[in-house]
Amino acid sequence: MKNRQDKITAEEKFYIATQWQLMWRKFKKHKLAIFGAIVLFIFYFVAIFCGFFSTQDIYKRHTKYIHAPPQRIHFFDEEGFHLRPFVYGLKRKINPVTLRRTYSEDRTKKYPIYFFIRGDKYKLWNLFPTDLHLLGVKEPGTIFLFGTDKLGRDLFSRNLHAARISLSIGLVGVALSFILGCALGGISGYFGGTADMVIQRVIEFLMSIPTIPLWMALSAALPPHWPPIKVYFGITIILSIVGWCGLARVVRGKLLELRQEDFVMAAKIIGATDGRIITRHLLPSFLSYLIVNITLAIPGMILGETSLSFLGLGLQPPVVSWGVLLRDAQNVRTVVLHPWLLIPGLFVIVTVLAFNFLGDGLRDAADPYK
Amino acid sequence: MLSYVLRRFFYMIIVLLVVSITAFVIIQLPPGDFLTSYIMKLKASGQIVDEAEIAALRKQYDLDLPIHLQYCQWMWKMLHGNFGKSFEWNRPVKDLILERLPLTVTVSLFTLIFTYLLAIPIGIYSATHQYSVGDYAFTVIGFIGLATPRFLLALILMFVSYRYFGLSIGGLFSPQYQLAPWSGAKFIDLLKHLPIPVVVIGMAGTAGLIRVMRGCLLDELQKQYVITARAKGVSERRLLFKYPVRVAINPIISTIGWTLPRIISGQTIVAIVLGLPTIGPLLFRALVNQDMYLAGSSIMILTFLTVIGTFISDILLVWLDPRIRYEKQAR
């Protein structure tokens, strides 16, 4: 038996491969998609353990370091190379006329960076209290890898915590859209007739409304006294009100197309039940399209949340998301003085790019005719 | 053709009705009615509000009626050009919106033209020079354009021009023309300020359309009639523009119905960041201050713009594409 399996040639393997194996093979060739997948994996991994990866508590105010620039990690000093990286201290100067603070590196103070260091207390997933951080410096040193904001809070840690909210809102929103889209698209494609007509008109209507004004109005209507968690779900629901349309269209189109395929007819003639036809024959043949569409719908949700929070209509501080962080960058003059406030924007762009690359690769892989 | 236009027109009216209901619901959404917040505001500023005045105001805004009658009253007044009053600005909503409507339409139209003028040639280039350096460059720019939130692009442009050129961009007019009456010089000033908002708003749409155009044209170029024409010795240029481009442009034109909402939607947020005197910032301030008549009317006008724009584009499409024209006639 083993001997025979060894003899299967590459060509034979191609013919006996399942649909998913074939897709994986095509997907692997798409370099950008692999790159996107790796980036997203890292982002989500860091976001899940954001407390561990951040260097300090996100609400801790360093009143001596307001709008401090990012500190650079050094390996070299005047003595030469050090295996253990370090940061220099910050020297603050206040301009007596404009009261502007400027910071410069204080070469006399050197703070080595330690790994797996005990620092500020936090709760992992709100459950396990711990104080272990990936990296940090010992008191009285400071480490601001992305600088600090107007209250002197560490932006590196805040960005990581924001990633958790911003990245998850896309997933939750898409999950909601997915349920709505499958249900309504399924009804539309399966039953046809009046139900189909009504649902199609509703989709056309929703797609003809400019989304941002609608989102703005709906999120402005969220009661201001709601707790953050409720606002979070409120925003995801608002985002998926428009989001389900695209998915419903795909489901309906595919159902209509597949119903008339020969293999469905064949299964019917053999006497397969409706349930078996749906689960064994219909679902696998358009599941890949659904996955592609979901992947491509997530960035829209992330952009939506970022825009709303940026305007101050979405999530509210003390919750941090990339959009909430970008609110500090609303004023151009502030941004010119403190360009590191734009870092969250960079994360948004990279995340959305990665999702688009991944979606593109998946789409090529899922298309059996290419 | 006429029956199609009529049917499409009828459909548009229904959509507009649904839009008005949506806008009305949005006005009603905040807890309490808008009068309560108005009275709160008056009280907060130390004014005395007596009961009779409140009752009179309630009557004036039909708040004493049941909700469906309120809607009818609101619609009726709107059909007569009465959009209600903005509490924050203390002016009729109609005036506020009319002031900003022409510029909103101008910016949207310019963006639409920009999007198509850029997307179609680049799409054609990318498809005919597939996997060339230019194609890759446009693909990368396109992806980044799709991935950058528009408000961030606006911020970055403002940052760059302020930091490196010492210019503060934003707005649609230089200060000296802000309040000046319309003149040739003011118009030229407007044209000078338009490029940045137009590029920022149109970026994502252009990037998307380039992908669509490229994909459609690539599909079309592989078809047998193209090979036949090439075998017969038709020049490449003629071959390209005579059939495949015309076929590939169709889906682009027909997605105008989706491009327009995107432009209006993008314009809203970009206008807030860049401080353009369009309806977007008006809506934003109205929402923040719970100035609900103004907010509802702004949303309605923005949506009307897209719905009417889509209607016009649909008619144009039928007129342009004989296949749709005949199909409609055959029915």
Side-chain angles (χ1 to χ4, degrees):
Chain A
M1 189 68 196
K2 190 172 179 291
N3 215 353
R4 257 177 67 196
Q5 259 185 357
D6 287 344
K7 277 184 191 154
I8 294 176
T9 60
E11 197 188 358
E12 279 171 335
K13 265 189 189 153
F14 180 78
Y15 287 114
I16 59 168
T18 63
Q19 196 192 354
W20 295 103
Q21 280 169 330
L22 286 175
M23 277 170 64
W24 172 239
R25 232 177 249 194
K26 262 192 274 183
F27 181 73
K28 270 195 300 192
K29 281 188 204 145
H30 207 294
K31 291 283 175 317
L32 275 176
I34 294 282
F35 176 71
I38 292 171
V39 167
L40 287 177
F41 177 77
I42 295 171
F43 275 21
Y44 274 93
F45 186 76
V46 171
I48 289 169
F49 298 100
C50 59
F52 170 69
F53 284 102
S54 57
T55 51
Q56 47 206 290
D57 187 85
I58 58 166
Y59 300 116
K60 191 158 102 184
R61 291 180 184 184
H62 300 263
T63 42
K64 275 191 202 146
Y65 301 100
I66 284 173
H67 277 317
Q71 283 170 290
R72 277 175 50 203
I73 297 176
H74 294 268
F75 283 97
F76 290 95
D77 62 3
E78 52 272 14
E79 292 162 30
F81 177 78
H82 294 267
L83 194 57
R84 182 173 288 287
F86 61 90
V87 291
Y88 285 118
L90 283 172
K91 208 164 30 183
R92 182 175 59 159
K93 257 169 73 183
I94 298 181
N95 186 319
V97 186
T98 58
L99 291 179
R100 244 188 77 191
R101 298 176 187 82
T102 47
Y103 296 88
S104 57
E105 274 186 342
D106 185 354
R107 299 248 160 185
T108 56
K109 286 180 193 139
K110 230 175 80 179
Y111 303 111
I113 294 172
Y114 295 96
F115 292 91
F116 300 104
I117 190 176
R118 304 270 161 195
D120 292 329
K121 286 192 178 63
Y122 64 94
K123 270 185 175 173
L124 187 63
W125 307 326
N126 254 341
L127 291 175
F128 311 109
T130 170
D131 58 356
L132 194 67
H133 293 268
L134 176 67
L135 48 88
V137 293
K138 285 189 176 148
E139 298 274 330
T142 56
I143 179 161
F144 304 124
L145 294 176
F146 290 170
T148 60
D149 66 0
K150 59 176 187 272
L151 295 173
R153 294 174 296 197
D154 176 41
L155 278 173
F156 178 74
S157 309
R158 286 175 76 76
N159 268 299
L160 295 192
H161 279 78
R164 187 174 59 175
I165 303 281
S166 291
L167 290 174
S168 68
I169 218 161
L171 292 188
V172 178
V174 159
L176 274 174
S177 309
F178 177 76
I179 296 167
L180 271 173
C182 279
L184 291 168
I187 291 170
S188 195
Y190 202 80
F191 293 109
T194 320
D196 183 33
M197 227 280 287
V198 171
I199 291 172
Q200 287 313 303
R201 291 292 93 79
V202 170
I203 290 178
E204 271 168 34
F205 168 69
L206 282 175
M207 282 187 139
S208 70
I209 301 184
T211 41
I212 288 188
L214 182 71
W215 284 344
M216 278 165 64
L218 291 176
S219 50
L222 292 179
H225 54 79
W226 271 13
I229 191 83
K230 246 180 160 179
V231 174
Y232 175 92
F233 282 109
I235 297 284
T236 48
I237 290 170
I238 288 170
L239 292 177
S240 29
I241 282 178
V242 182
W244 66 271
C245 297
L247 278 167
R249 285 207 150 175
V250 176
V251 173
R252 172 180 176 266
K254 279 283 148 196
L255 270 181
L256 285 177
E257 187 188 315
L258 289 171
R259 264 202 327 202
Q260 289 159 1
E261 288 287 335
D262 288 344
F263 67 85
V264 177
M265 183 61 83
K268 255 187 204 155
I269 292 172
I270 292 172
T273 58
D274 272 352
R276 191 177 160 82
I277 291 178
I278 289 174
T279 52
R280 282 298 292 177
H281 300 285
L282 291 181
L283 209 61
S285 38
F286 74 86
L287 193 63
S288 52
Y289 285 89
L290 279 185
I291 293 173
V292 171
N293 265 277
I294 287 173
T295 319
L296 291 172
I298 294 173
M301 301 263 167
I302 294 178
L303 286 180
E305 183 273 327
T306 309
S307 306
L308 283 179
S309 300
F310 171 76
L311 290 176
L313 294 170
L315 298 168
Q316 303 294 338
V319 175
V320 280
S321 77
W322 287 329
V324 173
L325 290 181
L326 279 172
R327 261 167 100 172
D328 287 344
Q330 266 179 353
N331 189 332
V332 184
R333 272 156 241 268
T334 328
V335 178
V336 171
L337 293 177
H338 321 291
W340 55 91
L341 291 175
L342 283 178
I343 290 174
L346 200 69
F347 278 112
V348 175
I349 296 174
V350 172
T351 309
V352 174
L353 263 181
F355 267 117
N356 281 335
F357 286 150
L358 180 66
D360 245 34
L362 286 176
R363 179 162 47 197
D364 285 355
D367 187 352
Y369 300 109
K370 260 190 183 163
Chain B
M1 175 80 186
L2 189 70
S3 80
Y4 171 72
V5 172
L6 278 178
R7 205 167 23 167
R8 195 63 193 69
F9 184 76
F10 179 67
Y11 174 58
M12 182 182 78
I13 298 292
I14 294 177
V15 170
L16 291 184
L17 265 178
V18 180
V19 170
S20 74
I21 294 174
T22 317
F24 185 71
V25 170
I26 285 167
I27 293 178
Q28 300 293 331
L29 269 181
D33 52 48
F34 40 88
L35 203 58
T36 335
S37 49
Y38 176 59
I39 292 164
M40 293 268 275
K41 209 173 254 173
L42 284 184
K43 275 187 181 151
S45 62
Q47 292 185 46
I48 302 148
V49 194
D50 68 271
E51 289 299 317
E53 201 179 333
I54 292 175
L57 277 171
R58 288 200 92 77
K59 185 127 191 70
Q60 190 190 338
Y61 289 104
D62 308 310
L63 289 172
D64 45 353
L65 296 173
I67 199 101
H68 60 278
L69 285 179
Q70 273 189 40
Y71 168 73
C72 294
Q73 274 290 339
W74 181 66
M75 273 306 281
W76 184 248
K77 281 186 180 166
M78 204 139 52
L79 288 175
H80 289 79
N82 180 1
F83 283 61
K85 204 173 118 184
S86 157
F87 292 124
E88 198 212 346
W89 298 70
N90 209 4
R91 286 178 57 192
V93 168
K94 191 175 107 184
D95 295 2
L96 285 167
I97 286 181
L98 277 185
E99 248 167 41
R100 287 159 176 254
L101 192 59
L103 283 174
T104 312
V105 174
T106 311
V107 173
S108 308
L109 267 183
F110 269 91
T111 312
L112 195 65
I113 295 168
F114 165 82
T115 308
Y116 281 81
L117 276 188
L118 214 62
I120 293 174
I122 291 180
I124 294 175
Y125 175 85
S126 283
T128 49
H129 298 75
Q130 199 187 4
Y131 303 133
S132 68
V133 180
D135 179 29
Y136 275 122
F138 283 127
T139 306
V140 170
I141 295 173
F143 265 120
I144 294 174
L146 274 178
T148 315
R150 269 166 285 215
F151 70 86
L152 195 65
L153 189 64
L155 262 180
I156 292 170
L157 279 184
M158 281 168 93
F159 168 67
V160 168
S161 70
Y162 190 85
R163 175 79 195 263
Y164 297 100
F165 306 107
L167 292 169
S168 108
I169 53 168
L172 281 176
F173 300 105
S174 308
Q176 68 263 36
Y177 291 111
Q178 213 119 47
L179 297 169
W182 278 99
S183 62
K186 184 171 177 176
F187 185 68
I188 291 168
D189 187 56
L190 172 68
L191 287 186
K192 274 189 204 156
H193 280 79
L194 267 179
I196 285 180
V198 163
V199 169
V200 174
I201 301 166
M203 181 87 172
T206 312
L209 280 184
I210 290 174
R211 304 295 307 163
V212 176
M213 183 75 200
R214 180 180 180 271
C216 287
L217 194 54
L218 277 177
D219 281 353
E220 212 55 41
L221 285 174
Q222 284 166 4
K223 289 205 174 147
Q224 296 208 326
Y225 73 88
V226 177
I227 300 170
T228 312
R230 192 169 283 143
K232 282 184 151 189
V234 179
S235 76
E236 276 298 311
R237 203 186 170 75
R238 197 176 143 76
L239 174 82
L240 184 66
F241 287 100
K242 183 84 186 174
Y243 303 106
V245 166
R246 285 170 68 183
V247 177
I249 269 181
N250 253 336
I252 298 253
I253 305 283
S254 62
T255 52
I256 209 169
W258 297 348
T259 312
L260 210 60
R262 255 205 246 170
I263 287 176
I264 300 267
S265 167
Q267 195 207 56
T268 310
I269 190 160
V270 170
I272 296 167
V273 177
L274 288 178
L276 308 183
T278 56
I279 293 181
L282 196 68
L283 168 68
F284 175 63
R285 283 194 54 184
L287 285 172
V288 170
N289 296 315
Q290 300 242 325
D291 193 352
M292 291 328 279
Y293 267 131
L294 185 55
S297 308
S298 305
I299 287 198
M300 216 166 79
I301 294 294
L302 286 178
T303 315
F304 271 29
L305 279 184
T306 61
V307 174
I308 292 168
T310 315
F311 170 70
I312 295 171
S313 77
D314 272 7
I315 304 286
L316 280 179
L317 187 66
V318 177
W319 183 58
L320 274 175
D321 188 347
R323 285 179 306 184
I324 302 179
R325 198 161 61 215
Y326 291 131
E327 191 189 319
K328 300 287 178 215
Q329 266 175 5
R331 256 191 214 164

